[in-house]
Amino acid sequence: TYTRAVYETMDAYGTKRYVYLLDETLELENVGLISENYAGMLVAGITEMSYRACAEKASRMTGQSISAMGVWNVIQALGAKVSEEEKELVKAHKEGQVKGKRTAPVLFEEADGVWINLQGKDRRKNGFDKAEMKVSIAYDGWKYKGGQRYELDGKVSTAGFEKAKEFQEAREALIASEYDLEKTDLRLLNGDGAQWIKKVKDKSTVFQLDLFHRNKSIRENIKDVEARQAIHEHLESCDLDGLFEYLEKYRNSLGEDEWIEKAGILTDYFKNNREGLLPYQKM
């Protein structure tokens, strides 16, 4: 146990901040009045429970009382710190100063959007109750862990609410910090076809429509089982012209407006993602 003084100061931008000179001398990491270890516990807790529940549990476990708002403040401070570090990494990447040590001839990448329910200030600030979090991972393979379990190897994760351009910059910088991309011959990006996912695609990346989303769309929009099978056969034989011709004939053969509309939805979905319908080996 030790005692240290807190000093109020102004940074270069005129913003008021507080420093602990003893902590800096001892090279201790803190988030405001909260130690790094305690902050880490709060982060782990907030991923599974509310701010109030997290505060109550942390207070019971450590004897250090903290309120729900206190937990919120810590999470916001950590988020701001991570954001600043990310911006510095993006800047360094643009200046050509970022190169990872890991090499991979082929890099596998996946991207998707996850809709998050907003609360309190975030809901009022955005004007709606949900927001899409962009999520992506990159990895160079997978390891067998026993049974039916596999583990991705060399995984790099990115997540954020930024616009597509900013997300792309952060994603590329993080991948570049792990991998030497000059030694990567092929990058495969799997996604559901959303426009923001395609915007993160650069010239060295091949886009592939994710099989899960592709097959899900077929199931949801094609009523007839035999028609589904025919569509899969066209895809497996890489006959895209035949596929679209079949879809048009199938749609014209339907009598119910609901299924006519759904067949059109699938056709448009495939046309908008034609570049990703075929396996990259057969393109």
Side-chain angles (χ1 to χ4, degrees), residues 112-176:
D112 203 351
V114 180
W115 286 93
I116 305 295
N117 291 321
L118 300 179
Q119 301 180 33
K121 294 180 180 180
D122 291 329
R123 179 180 295 185
R124 292 193 294 272
K125 177 181 176 182
N126 289 277
F128 41 81
D129 58 359
K130 288 186 178 182
E132 183 183 33
M133 174 181 284
K134 298 176 179 65
V135 181
S136 75
I137 58 172
Y139 52 96
D140 58 11
W142 42 89
K143 296 178 180 178
Y144 179 64
K145 302 294 291 185
Q148 296 182 341
R149 294 177 58 249
Y150 289 83
E151 183 180 87
L152 299 182
D153 195 24
K155 184 170 70 172
V156 178
S157 303
T158 313
F161 291 99
E162 305 98 325
K163 294 181 179 179
K165 180 181 178 182
E166 287 76 18
F167 183 78
Q168 157 70 343
E169 292 175 344
R171 172 178 169 275
E172 286 296 313
L174 285 165
I175 293 174

Side-chain angles (χ1 to χ4, degrees), residues 214-215 218 230-240 243 270 277-279 282:
R214 187 198 74 178
N215 295 340
I218 294 173
I231 292 171
H232 282 290
E233 289 176 358
H234 281 293
L235 288 169
E236 289 170 4
S237 62
C238 300
D239 180 15
L240 295 187
L243 169 65
F270 279 1
L277 283 174
L278 298 181
K282 299 182 180 180

Side-chain angles (χ1 to χ4, degrees), residues 249-278:
K249 289 181 179 179
Y250 172 76
R251 185 184 181 189
N252 292 334
S253 70
L254 297 171
E256 300 178 52
D257 290 342
E258 178 187 356
W259 291 105
I260 291 174
E261 182 181 356
K262 287 190 173 184
I265 291 174
L266 178 65
T267 302
D268 291 341
Y269 181 56
F270 279 1
K271 284 183 177 179
N272 292 335
N273 294 284
R274 181 170 181 144
E275 61 177 315
L277 283 174
L278 298 181

Side-chain angles (χ1 to χ4, degrees), residues 15 45 58 63 96 116 179 185 203 214 224 251 255 258 260 263 280:
T15 303
I116 305 295
Y179 290 95
D185 301 319
K203 294 180 180 179
R214 187 198 74 178
D224 187 71
R251 185 184 181 189
E258 178 187 356
I260 291 174
Y280 74 94

